[in-house]
């Protein structure tokens, strides 16, 4: 039987983030022949509703208030709970983003449901919806089905294929009115450290540097390669701890978890805590001076050599291919 599923969208700089479309595709699987309702929360977000419908939402509910211009747990949970109370959903899907990771446990506690966090796939198997999620820092995967109650999941960015955009689709867009009160956090200002370039968690290509880059300037050739490939720069904790780059770039168990199409690890040894954040990347290329480095055990392609010679050579070759 079909389910009514709420999918929370996320926007940045006035644009829907890709993970919103991936969450809609996951929501469709949970809904089966039921209904997928996109939820947009913010200050003035109504203009984004149509795109959600074009990516598969059947209708969209907006919750708009100046107090929701920036994310706060209190504000968003009040807004989302108003939608839950109005719609009484049987399924909920969020992106497994910083926002989704913060908000989902709070909502799950309020509605007394379980939570399947960080799902990397959602499939229909034998009439049941089966979620797959990594466990033990990505060394194994578990499969979960929900037998009763609300199906609530967060989906890891870059893992679930969005539905094809269909500009001919139409659907109802309506507002849920909520009075946002008692905010315990007020955002005064947003300071972005990694303002330029592609968002690491949604990047299709990541060039990551480790302690082997040796200095802040050592990241420059990696930035140039990232620019040519339209990718983002990431780092190991070794590089962050050594102050070669900002912690916002850290990938791994205590950093960001990424799943790009291409991950190029430069001067990274491949500690288990680093692998936890990137080993599900589709294609992994490792550049390391040490042929015994552990990173080669997860790499699809390995280059033994000095990154300061190899990375600029790759940049030049890719530039030629693009010319
Ligand atoms: P190193 O291990 O020092 O490796 C540097 C590599 O560069 C070496 O393999 C070397 O051969 C190579 N190299 C040097 N010069 C060159 C050159 N010119 N060209 C090519 N190769 C060169 N780490 C993370 O990354 N992410 C995490 O989220 C994380 N969380 C952690 C959580 C906990 C609780 C703990 C205990 C540790 C965590 N760590 C994490 C740290 C992790 O254990 C490693 O210490 C760290 O990943 C090592 O970083 P690295 O590979 O850059 O440095």
């Amino acid at each position: 039987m079909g389910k009514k599923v709420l999918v929370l969208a996320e926007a940045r700089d006035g644009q829907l983030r890709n993970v919103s479309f991936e969450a809609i595709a996951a929501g469709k699987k949970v809904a089966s022949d039921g209904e997928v309702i996109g939820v947009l929360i913010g200050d003035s977000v109504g203009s984004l509703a149509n795109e959600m419908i074009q990516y598969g939402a059947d209708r969209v509910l907006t919750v708009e208030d100046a107090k929701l211009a920036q994310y706060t747990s209190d504000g968003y949970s009040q807004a989302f709970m108003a939608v839950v109370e109005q719609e009484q959903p049987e399924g909920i899907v969020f992106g497994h983003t910083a926002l989704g990771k913060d908000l989902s446990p709070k909502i799950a506690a309020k509605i007394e449901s379980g939570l399947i966090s960080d799902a990397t796939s959602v499939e229909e198997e034998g009439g049941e919806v089966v979620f797959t999620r990594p466990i033990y820092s990505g060394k194994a995967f578990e499969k979960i089905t929900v037998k009763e109650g609300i199906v609530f999941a967060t989906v890891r960015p870059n893992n679930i294929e969005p539905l094809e955009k269909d500009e001919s689709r139409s659907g109802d867009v309506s507002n849920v009115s909520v009075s946002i009160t008692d905010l315990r956090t007020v955002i005064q200002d947003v300071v972005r450290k990694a303002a330029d370039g592609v968002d690491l968690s949604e990047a299709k290509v990541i060039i990551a540097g480790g302690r082997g880059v040796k200095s802040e300037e050592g990241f420059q050739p990696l930035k140039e390669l990232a620019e040519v490939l339209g990718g983002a720069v990431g780092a190991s904790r070794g590089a962050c701890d050594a102050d070669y780059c900002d912690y916002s770039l850290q990938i791994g168990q205590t950093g960001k978890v990424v799943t790009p199409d291409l991950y190029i690890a430069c001067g990274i040894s491949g500690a288990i805590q680093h692998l936890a954040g990137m080993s599900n990347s589709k294609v992994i290329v490792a550049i390391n001076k040490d042929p015994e480095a552990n990173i080669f055990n997860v790499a699809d392609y390995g280059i033994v050599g000095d990154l300061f010679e190899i990375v600029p050579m790759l940049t030049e070759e890719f530039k030629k291919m693009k010319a």
Side-chain angles (χ1 to χ4, degrees):
M1 210 183 76
K3 286 184 165 39
K4 186 194 267 192
V5 178
L6 298 180
V7 173
L8 179 65
E10 281 186 50
R12 181 178 287 167
D13 300 331
Q15 303 261 323
L16 284 171
R17 294 184 65 185
N18 223 20
V19 70
S20 310
F21 309 134
E22 296 164 5
I24 293 173
K28 282 271 185 203
K29 296 258 172 67
V30 177
S32 183
D33 54 355
E35 187 185 28
V36 171
I37 305 166
V39 181
L40 275 163
I41 300 174
D43 186 4
S44 43
V45 283
S47 58
L48 303 172
N50 265 345
E51 202 176 8
M52 290 198 78
I53 291 167
Q54 290 167 354
Y55 273 98
D58 297 302
R59 62 186 165 101
V60 173
L61 294 171
T62 59
V63 188
E64 295 183 294
D65 190 306
K67 292 188 192 123
L68 298 169
Q70 298 293 342
Y71 173 76
T72 61
S73 304
D74 279 345
Y76 266 53
S77 61
Q78 286 176 37
F80 196 80
M81 282 307 295
V83 177
V84 168
E85 274 150 30
Q86 176 181 304
E87 295 295 331
Q88 300 294 318
E90 293 144 311
I92 301 175
V93 182
F94 290 1
H96 194 70
T97 55
L99 186 159
K101 281 188 257 187
D102 186 64
L103 187 63
S104 55
K106 196 164 182 164
I107 300 293
K110 282 183 189 291
I111 61 175
E112 297 183 356
S113 80
L115 175 63
I116 302 165
S117 87
D118 201 14
T120 51
S121 88
V122 185
E123 293 304 331
E124 204 257 71
E125 285 175 26
E128 287 194 312
V129 178
V130 180
F131 294 85
T132 305
R133 63 182 295 276
I135 51 173
Y136 304 123
S137 298
K139 285 199 273 307
F141 287 85
E142 67 175 350
K143 289 188 174 235
I144 301 179
T145 56
V146 179
K147 300 289 181 195
E148 59 182 63
I150 297 177
V151 182
F152 190 178
T154 63
V155 293
R156 185 183 282 195
N158 257 348
N159 277 259
I160 291 162
E161 196 60 34
L163 303 174
E164 203 147 312
K165 189 173 184 179
D166 177 356
E167 293 188 359
S168 67
R169 271 177 66 86
S170 61
D172 188 55
V173 180
S174 51
N175 188 255
V176 178
S177 92
V178 190
S179 121
I180 304 293
T181 53
D182 300 329
L183 291 186
R184 285 170 293 186
T185 316
V186 177
I187 310 282
Q188 300 283 4
D189 195 9
V190 178
V191 181
R192 290 212 198 146
K193 280 191 168 174
D196 48 342
V198 182
D199 178 359
L200 196 53
S201 54
E202 292 193 350
K204 298 280 178 206
V205 176
I206 294 176
I207 318 298
R211 231 187 312 247
V213 301
K214 295 191 174 69
S215 65
E216 194 180 338
E217 298 71 54
F219 265 95
Q220 193 51 35
L222 279 62
K223 287 182 186 163
E224 285 164 19
L225 179 56
E227 203 179 315
V228 175
L229 294 176
V233 172
S236 71
R237 178 156 146 191
C240 301
D241 283 346
D243 225 7
Y244 301 161
C245 61
D246 192 83
Y247 278 102
S248 59
L249 301 189
Q250 184 184 321
I251 290 165
Q253 189 180 322
T254 44
K256 293 197 168 77
V257 175
V258 296
T259 325
D261 293 344
L262 174 62
Y263 189 90
I264 306 185
C266 311
I268 294 177
S269 59
I272 189 73
Q273 296 89 355
H274 186 75
L275 302 188
M278 47 63 75
S279 59
N280 286 330
S281 304
K282 289 171 192 102
V283 174
I284 299 171
V285 178
I287 305 168
N288 199 302
K289 279 205 302 202
D290 174 7
E292 302 296 324
N294 192 46
I295 191 79
F296 289 125
N297 292 325
V298 295
D300 299 283
Y301 300 94
I303 304 173
V304 178
D306 186 341
L307 73 92
F308 294 105
E309 287 171 22
I310 291 156
V311 173
M313 272 160 54
L314 289 176
T315 307
E316 280 317 303
E317 286 307 312
F318 284 121
K319 270 189 190 159
K320 279 187 213 156
M321 284 166 73
K322 284 180 87 178

